[in-house]
Amino acid sequence: MTRLTHCRSCQSPRLDMILDLGRQPLANALVEPAHVGQPEDTFPLEVLFCQDCSLVQVSETIPPEILFGRDYPYFSSFLPALLVHSREHALGLVEQYGLGPRNLVVEVASNDGYLLKNFVEKGIPVLGVDPAQGPAEAARKIGVETLQAFFNATTAHALVAEGKRADVILANNVLAHVEDINGFVEGFAILLADNGVAEFEFPYLRDLIDACAFDTIYHEHVFYYSLTALEPLFARHGLYLNDVQRIDIHGGSLRLTVGKKPGKTARLEKLIAEEAELGMGAPAYYEKFSRQVAKVRDDLRKLIQDLVSNGKRVAAYGAAAKGATLLNYASLKGDVISYVVDRNVHKVGKYMPGLEIPIRSVETLMQDRPDYLLILAWNFGAEIMAQQKAYADAGGRFILPIPSPAIV
Ligand SMILES: [Zn+2]
């Protein structure tokens, strides 16, 4: 691992640390029971702000073989809500740009072809680009032509040499993960036709800060974007931000439209102006967030420790990355949290990274009846509390940690 000395976008050395979440294991690295108690790899989880281009980014560069080495293959088609969202999006694009058999739609990080198949059905040529073998093979099986590769300037040049130019390029939930962000954006400039459009979806930093959702910060997410930071990044490669929509997925995201000719919509101008008014181009905005985050940590730790000292038993719900980040940051380990329940059977029986907390089935709650249930998946808090009505009826109480720890 290497600590960042220069901004990954503009290369400036003027980086301010705006948030320190401490040393953390990789948030998805669940521990096998046989390895509990053995040392785990941990890395600083610090967030930096570039004083020159305003880009917010994590401080450590972790080699991809460590970062993604243990990931389970991830197939987007298993997420029904995503399929509906993607289909609506694809059909909207076909109509908006009048796409037909002479056009080419490219998707970067195309996974198992769940989005591109909607264009294939309409007779529109497509190409997916994705480095993961299993999902790329699954995509080809449903007729979505897929190149198994990382997308960058080299990949884009090779496609152009084959005579390919994209009228539309889509990249959903990948912009935040790519370390070499300049090489990545340059690839779009190379592959895009002169009148083409590229669309990116990614979590919006402003929504993260408004919700105090600091637990969505972990090593796999290298970047946290504002429009203020994206404009110079795209401009460097001859691309213009032209339109934006705020969309209600992943806790609040942006869908950004980029092209080779300038032409900002009024709603894009408005959102950029709002960022300026909020101060997203200066460190003070982020320092305020950092103080809120530290207060959540202190208040949550005190709340849980007081309950445990009074003889109460506390379990938690949701063995996902965000839960690992929150518990590690607040140092709430196996001595105070009895276990974490999760609906994913592949996680049950393992342990939370860095915490020595076992993961159990959701049914454990009714058998064991802990006094309190800390909802780590707080963004689904209402749904989880409704599902666990029997637990509440039997006297169980819920704790929501964010935006401010509370027993509900
Ligand atoms: Zn910068």
Side-chain angles (χ1 to χ4, degrees):
M1 81 193 181
T2 321
R3 193 183 162 79
L4 197 69
T5 56
H6 293 76
C7 171
R8 292 178 179 91
S9 174
C10 77
Q11 313 304 323
S12 164
R14 302 200 309 142
L15 299 171
D16 278 353
M17 182 158 80
I18 51 168
L19 183 63
D20 182 0
L21 294 172
R23 280 193 81 90
Q24 298 230 8
L26 297 181
N28 284 311
L30 298 181
V31 178
E32 297 291 340
H35 297 155
V36 173
Q38 294 173 10
E40 293 171 54
D41 288 338
T42 60
F43 308 91
L45 185 54
E46 294 168 6
V47 184
L48 308 178
F49 169 80
C50 174
Q51 291 180 38
D52 286 298
C53 78
S54 305
L55 184 58
V56 172
Q57 52 206 302
V58 296
S59 67
E60 294 298 311
T61 297
I62 299 172
E65 61 273 19
I66 296 179
L67 202 52
F68 301 109
R70 327 180 212 204
D71 268 6
Y72 300 101
Y74 168 89
F75 291 85
S76 296
S77 289
F78 291 114
L79 302 167
L82 181 67
L83 295 186
V84 173
H85 165 84
S86 304
R87 182 164 178 81
E88 283 169 6
H89 181 202
L91 298 179
L93 287 169
V94 172
E95 196 177 313
Q96 185 181 355
Y97 297 112
L99 298 175
R102 292 164 166 272
N103 297 113
L104 174 64
V105 177
V106 172
E107 188 187 10
V108 172
S110 50
N111 197 267
D112 57 13
Y114 69 99
L115 174 59
L116 287 178
K117 73 173 185 189
N118 296 296
F119 296 96
V120 173
E121 281 169 16
K122 296 273 173 189
I124 300 159
V126 301
L127 176 68
V129 183
D130 199 293
Q133 188 178 353
E137 281 170 4
R140 289 187 199 114
K141 276 191 192 139
I142 57 163
V144 173
E145 189 187 337
T146 302
L147 172 68
Q148 194 191 328
F150 283 101
F151 184 80
N152 52 31
T154 311
T155 322
H157 276 304
L159 290 170
V160 170
E162 288 173 22
K164 290 189 161 72
R165 286 272 178 174
D167 300 294
V168 175
I169 312 183
L170 304 170
N172 296 338
N173 292 306
V174 59
L175 197 63
H177 295 71
V178 180
E179 183 76 37
D180 175 18
I181 196 61
N182 280 301
F184 187 73
V185 172
E186 191 188 347
F188 287 80
I190 293 163
L191 186 58
L192 200 62
D194 288 344
N195 291 314
V197 291
E199 272 198 7
F200 300 84
E201 280 184 26
F202 50 88
Y204 187 25
L205 177 58
R206 178 176 162 189
D207 289 327
L208 184 161
I209 289 178
D210 284 349
C212 200
F214 66 90
D215 56 349
T216 57
I217 297 172
Y218 44 96
H219 296 101
E220 285 91 332
H221 293 167
V222 181
F223 299 108
Y224 303 84
Y225 288 112
S226 63
L227 296 169
T228 308
L230 282 167
E231 198 151 38
L233 169 62
F234 282 99
R236 196 175 300 127
H237 303 285
L239 295 169
Y240 297 89
L241 309 192
N242 287 337
D243 193 17
V244 73
Q245 293 171 67
R246 294 181 79 168
I247 52 176
D248 187 23
I249 54 169
H250 299 297
S253 294
L254 292 183
R255 179 181 290 159
L256 179 67
T257 308
V258 166
K260 289 188 168 177
K261 293 166 188 166
K264 279 195 182 93
T265 58
R267 62 183 175 186
L268 175 61
E269 302 260 24
K270 181 168 174 281
L271 201 54
I272 292 173
E274 284 176 19
E275 288 190 1
E277 204 164 303
L278 285 167
M280 292 187 80
Y285 174 81
Y286 304 95
E287 285 155 9
K288 183 172 161 237
F289 166 62
S290 180
R291 287 192 295 275
Q292 285 173 345
V293 172
K295 185 165 171 15
V296 170
R297 174 196 60 197
D298 297 343
D299 291 353
L300 182 65
R301 195 150 56 188
K302 183 168 187 319
L303 176 69
I304 303 278
Q305 278 171 344
D306 285 353
L307 290 172
V308 172
S309 341
N310 287 320
K312 303 297 184 192
R313 287 195 314 125
V314 183
Y317 191 110
K322 60 190 298 169
T325 301
L326 177 67
L327 294 177
N328 275 292
Y329 175 55
S331 290
L332 292 168
K333 302 194 176 186
D335 54 338
V336 286
I337 305 289
S338 303
Y339 48 87
V340 177
V341 298
D342 199 281
R343 295 175 81 170
N344 185 337
V345 293
H346 300 292
K347 294 182 178 176
V348 171
K350 296 184 179 168
Y351 283 72
M352 295 291 282
L355 297 162
E356 302 194 359
I357 301 175
I359 301 167
R360 303 217 170 128
S361 69
V362 174
E363 289 69 37
T364 309
L365 287 179
M366 279 313 285
Q367 294 151 10
D368 185 55
R369 296 195 195 171
D371 301 297
Y372 289 85
L373 185 64
L374 170 62
I375 301 182
L376 299 171
W378 54 271
N379 47 325
F380 297 110
E383 279 173 65
I384 291 167
M385 289 189 280
Q387 280 163 15
Q388 297 306 323
K389 190 174 175 303
Y391 163 77
D393 289 346
R397 305 287 306 271
F398 300 107
I399 302 169
L400 286 174
I402 288 175
S404 144
I407 296 170
V408 292

